[in-house]
Amino acid sequence: MGKQSLQILPTDDEHGRLLKAQLNQGIQEHWWETRPIDISGTEPPFTPVIECLTDMRVAAQRLWTGQPNELAPWLEEFVVAAKHWESYTRLRAEIGALAPDRLYYVTRHRLRAEADLWKVKNGAKGRAAPPAANQGDKGKVAGGEWLGEKTLPPSLFPSVVLPPPPDKGDPKWDEKRAEQFAKRCPRLNGKSGPSVEVGDGTFEKLLKARVHQGLLQLRWYWTGGRGAGPDEYSLRCDCLDDTALALVELLGPEPKELAPWLEELLVDAKEFERHTQLRVEAGALRPSRLNQVTRTRLKIEAELWKVKNAK
């Protein structure tokens, strides 16, 4: 990812110049992030560097659409960079300097980069999601302040409910809450999760591995794991969003298989939204965190709506 391989050509239009400028900014940002880190002070946030690599990967795919020979070397370098950060994160997690969710997060994005590279090298488009119909969901909420500033948008799926919480004074509250979610969401808990089958190709294996990393991260939160620092909410939102996207790509042609997965992710997203709302109301979090979590819940609902209303 050096400047010597990124040049503005006379044939580049405005869009191409913008994309190359975007890539150049990412290269500079990543260069700064790869400098030696002073680990004696506060732990640096991990999401910016992974977001940087993801943003550059998307820009490269848009810039060299239909040009696999140009795109593949860039994607290979993104995979190399992702592997570097995964190795660094794994070492830090193994000595207890980082929470496990950091490692799950970085590994998911390494797998995502590898899946994109595999598609380019194999001329594959992946597995498409089903088209949406014009019918609404039977459980749709009528009306509601969808665009209100101080009220949460309603859920299109009120039947997707959270398990009842244990008694507040129970000393094993976290343990029992984890048991309730494991029972409510058997797929996320691994009881009927994705497994690599004999007929699976490389692309399917990458997607299933990515989903598996997402499930490990979500289970860590269920069992009392708490993120720390500026990344806490971004990491969990990214996990929900990315796991949903991977499942849509993996199971898109099979809506009956996909819908239960998205419903369980929605359970988790609703619980996260409930927890975040309580903390915002108590003054422990900025309101923008609730906006972030609610956006994630709405994205999962949108994917679930498309699946349930597929033709």
Side-chain angles (χ1 to χ4, degrees):
M1 289 184 285
K3 293 182 179 179
Q4 68 274 12
S5 59
L6 189 63
Q7 301 176 355
I8 299 295
L9 304 175
T11 54
D12 288 337
D13 58 13
E14 287 82 357
H15 186 238
R17 293 172 189 172
L18 287 169
L19 288 172
K20 287 184 177 181
Q22 182 180 343
L23 269 174
N24 184 58
Q25 290 298 313
I27 290 170
Q28 295 182 58
E29 180 181 347
H30 188 259
W31 180 82
W32 280 101
E33 292 289 351
T34 53
R35 293 184 306 161
I37 298 174
D38 178 11
I39 62 173
S40 62
T42 304
E43 174 194 323
F46 267 65
T47 51
V49 67
I50 302 301
E51 288 173 357
C52 173
L53 288 171
T54 301
D55 183 69
M56 282 196 289
R57 192 172 72 250
V58 172
Q61 289 169 316
R62 291 174 178 172
L63 181 62
W64 289 296
T65 300
Q67 302 178 58
N69 291 335
E70 294 289 338
L71 178 58
W74 280 91
L75 294 181
E76 286 176 353
E77 293 195 20
F78 295 144
V79 170
V80 170
K83 286 184 175 181
H84 160 76
W85 286 105
E86 183 182 29
S87 175
Y88 170 78
T89 307
R90 185 177 300 279
L91 289 173
R92 298 271 283 151
E94 287 176 352
I95 64 174
L98 287 178
D101 59 337
R102 266 56 171 179
L103 180 57
Y104 303 143
Y105 167 72
V106 177
T107 300
R108 279 191 294 101
H109 281 276
R110 187 263 299 171
L111 291 166
R112 190 169 180 175
E114 288 193 0
D116 285 347
L117 176 60
W118 185 90
K119 285 192 289 186
V120 169
K121 288 198 167 189
N122 290 274
K125 296 182 179 180
R127 305 179 70 176
N134 294 322
Q135 300 175 358
D137 182 78
K138 294 180 180 179
K140 181 173 64 174
V141 175
E145 295 295 332
W146 287 91
L147 305 180
E149 292 185 11
K150 296 183 179 181
T151 56
L152 295 179
S155 172
L156 281 178
F157 303 96
S159 59
V160 178
V161 297
L162 305 176
D167 294 334
K168 291 183 179 180
D170 195 322
K172 295 185 177 181
W173 194 94
D174 284 339
E175 180 181 336
K176 290 185 177 180
R177 191 61 167 161
E179 292 175 355
Q180 289 173 335
F181 270 94
K183 185 177 180 180
R184 174 67 176 83
C185 303
R187 292 166 181 80
L188 300 191
N189 189 46
K191 299 301 182 183
S192 57
S195 58
V196 175
E197 300 173 1
V198 176
D200 286 342
T202 302
F203 185 63
E204 285 74 21
K205 292 176 183 176
L206 286 169
L207 286 174
K208 288 182 177 181
R210 183 169 141 204
V211 170
H212 178 66
Q213 290 297 316
L215 301 187
L216 290 175
Q217 187 173 343
L218 290 176
R219 289 172 205 157
W220 184 74
Y221 295 132
W222 284 6
T223 54
R226 294 289 183 269
D231 290 337
E232 177 181 358
Y233 283 78
S234 294
L235 282 165
R236 187 161 179 175
C237 285
D238 178 88
C239 182
L240 285 164
D241 186 29
D242 183 66
T243 304
L245 291 177
L247 284 166
V248 167
E249 198 161 11
L250 179 66
L251 301 173
E254 306 169 33
K256 291 184 179 180
E257 295 291 331
L258 176 58
W261 277 99
L262 294 178
E263 287 179 352
E264 291 190 17
L265 283 177
L266 182 54
V267 171
D268 190 279
K270 284 186 174 184
E271 168 65 12
F272 190 28
E273 185 180 42
R274 182 200 65 81
H275 170 76
T276 306
Q277 185 176 18
L278 290 174
R279 294 200 66 193
V280 169
E281 291 174 351
L285 285 177
R286 292 174 180 267
S288 59
R289 289 304 188 191
L290 181 56
N291 299 137
Q292 180 184 24
V293 175
T294 299
R295 278 194 296 107
T296 301
R297 188 260 296 173
L298 290 170
K299 283 192 284 186
I300 294 174
E301 289 207 10
E303 295 295 341
L304 180 57
W305 185 91
K306 287 190 291 185
V307 171
K308 283 184 171 287
N309 291 276
K311 295 180 180 179

